[in-house]
Each structure stands twice: as structure tokens, then as C-alpha cells.
Amino acid sequence: MRVLVVGSGGREHALAWRLARSESVSEPFAAPGNSGTALVGTNLPVSDTDVDGIVAAAIAHDIGLVVIGPETPLAMGLSDRLAAAGITAFGPSRAAARLESSKSFARSVLDAAGVPGPDYRVFQSVSGALNYVDSHDRPVVVKADGLAAGKGVALCANREQAHIAIRACMEDRIFGDAGATVVVEDWLHGPEVSVFGFADGENLSAVTAATDYKRIGEGGTGPNTGGMGSYGPPHFWNDELAEQIRQEYMLPVIRELANRNAPYRGALYCGLMLTDAGPRVLEFNCRFGDPETQVVMPQLLSDPVDVMLACATGSLHDVAPVRWSQRPAVAVVMVSDGYPGPYQTGFPIAGLDDDQTDDVIVFHAGAQLADDGSNAVLTAGGRVLACVGLGDTVDEARNRAYRRIDGISFEGAYHRPDIATEAAVAMAGAQESAC
Ligand code: GLY
């Protein structure tokens, strides 16, 4: 079967890499892909938000399965358009993807499903939101309702910060219409975990988990990023917790969406905080996480094509149960100088030609082949690549990831030195909790 991965980040390289290892896959394509997806398949010059272009490319290349990586094309209805064209797609419909594209919708689904999250209120007026935080005696998190490229969440330690965040969202519209409505939630504390499973509209596979590190600096300091690293399974993860999250937090949401005639088919990502009062849902996303995918795809033991086709066709019960390896994996992200602020691109990346092994993998993200036919790889984004190590212990996995990073260089390269170290593991959550 020919498969097409939609997207161009590290998550999409990890998906294409895992699909390319499936015996069912004759040829993986990516649109638009990056220098990493070009190593495992063929890139097509179509933007991931060009819905018509993706549908046309899938038809032209006789694609049997389209795997949609990022949230934006899902929110635009790419899955629905592919289905209407008779092409099987892994990724929820636009209606089901509202779980991520509208935070207020997600909260209403969680309430109806009886799934616990932080106390919250939804506001469409600035004055309502400001009055609420003025009368509230706890720190809050202000969230733009719509998609804001991972930047629409402000942790507010006091009322002044909450006022600034509300006005920036609702008056200044720094996230455009995505900030016309805000959700104001209580700020919770505890370790944070990203939980992933495959859903077919009614059923949910076994789930797995990883944590990510969002702040740019060592010790969880500095601005938020798209993710500086990840490791999994987390030290607190066990079968009992996995089953609790699956049964009590994720399946009720799948059932509620089915009741609303929006069956959820695709990767389901539940972002939780493990508080003293029990797990609380911070967010649901309609896709795999980035950089968590770079950790969990090497741990997926089942055939991804079988599982993804079963999700798309509502038949998870007909395939073997999904199996995840518990072998620790650590991903360390290399970024461009200046990221998450302005940065330059176009620098050659040296050291990529070493052989990959089953225990050391480099996933490209903001990296592209030079267009002079030289096969040189150039930086093309803020998060440039992730070095992933697997091992019998987290220490072994981490050492492998960092050893690989030492062999790669480009101008201005930076990475956090403390991903999955004992100190960073102990603090995961409290300082890093910005969804
Ligand atoms: N790692 C966070 C996300 O993918 O949204």
C-alpha cells in the first residue's frame, strides 16, 4: 500500500519512519515533508493546509491511506474531504477535531462525559472575563478558545497577568479570531503527562504515555517552546494508571462524541495533570504530540497500517490488540539560535550521515534538503531535529540521545542539557505546565 503522511515536522518524520517499517507499505509519501521524510520516502510539494492539493495528490499517487499529522488540516476538514473522495484517512473529522480546535467545546464534552478537569468559565466579553478574575482568589490559566499554534495559553500567577492575557487575546486579538472567546481555568499543579491511544469512533486501543519539556532553558526556565524534548514511559506510569486514564478519561469522551454524531477516529491525545486530588484533564488534542511522537513511534510494536486502517473503518476490534513497548525512550530537540523568538535558517547541518540503529534515531523537523541537488541538509525552522535514544533504562536511553547530539552541529545550535535527568524528571509539571 502507498501511504501519504501530511505535515512537515518531527512528528511527521517519526510517523513516516514507522510506516516505512511496516510490511504493508510499499512506498511512503509525505506532503510537504522535510529532509527526514525524504530519507524514508518521497516528498510531494503540497502544503499541509492545501486541502484540495492533498486530495488531488492522494488520487494522483493512488494512495491507500492518508495519515494526517497536524491539527490545522484536521480542523479544516481534510479528513472529511478525503473521505468524500473515497480515500481512507487516519485523523478525525472536522466535527470531532473540535475537541482541539475549540477549548470551550472540549470542556462541554468533558462535562457531559463526567471527566474531571480544572474549574473553568468561558467568556465572550472582556468585561465578563476581567470581572471573573477580579473576584477569583486563585491563579488562573487563560486560554484562547481556538487554535493558536501552541501559543494560546497564558499561565497567570496574579490578577494583573490575567488582565494582560485577557486583553491581549480578546481586545488586541493577538491570535486573531481564535481569541474572540477565552476559557479561564484554575491553574493546577502536579506532574503532567501526554497519553495517546488509537480510536475508531467507539473503541480505544491500549494507551501509552510520554512527558514533554516545554520551556527553553535548563531546569524548566525561560519562554515556552513547541517542545524541547520528551521521554517515556514516565517514571510514574504503570498499567493501573494507564487503564484508569483509558477507561475513565478517554473512553467517555469517545462515547460522548459518538452520541453527538461526531465519532472520533484517529490518534487521541489526552493531556493530564496528576494532582493531589487525582488526574485532571488539561486538554484533548486530535493528533499525536510533538515531540512525544518521536518517543512513542519507536515503541509501537503493532503494525501501524493495520491499526490506522482499523481506526478509519471503525474496526479496531477486528485487529490484534495494540501493543506498546515499555522500553524507555528519550528525545532531545536541537533548535536554532534565538528560538522561540526570531531565528535565521539555511545553515548546513553536519553529522547526519552516521548510521541509525534501532536504539539511536535522528528525526528531522525544521530541516530541508538544499535545492541545489547536493543532498546537503539545511536548517529550515526553529525546532530543527530530535535525537532519540532507546535503552533498557532511562539513563541508557538518555546517554544514547545525548551522545548522538554531540556528533551533530549547525551554526547557533542549542539543546537543553537536562532532558529526562533525575532533576528534570522530578520537576516535570510544576514549572513546565503550559499546555
Ligand atoms: N507536546 C505538546 C503538543 O504536541 O501539543
Side-chain angles (χ1 to χ4, degrees), residues 30-41:
N34 60 27
S35 47
T37 56
L39 291 174
V40 295

Side-chain angles (χ1 to χ4, degrees), residues 18 296-304 321-326:
R18 185 63 191 84
V296 303
M297 275 303 120
Q299 295 169 328
L300 177 62
L301 299 175
S302 304
D303 184 281
V322 169
R323 291 186 310 125
W324 300 99
S325 160
Q326 298 299 300

Side-chain angles (χ1 to χ4, degrees), residues 11 71 100 150 192 194 196 211-214 225-227 229-230 269 283 285 287-293 383 435:
R11 166 183 49 215
E71 62 277 17
E100 175 164 4
E192 197 178 325
S194 307
F196 303 99
T211 62
D212 69 343
Y213 291 82
K214 295 186 174 82
T225 71
S230 177
Y269 167 162
E283 61 179 352
N285 293 321
R287 52 174 173 85
F288 284 112
D290 193 339
E292 294 97 320
T293 309
R383 289 191 296 166
C435 310

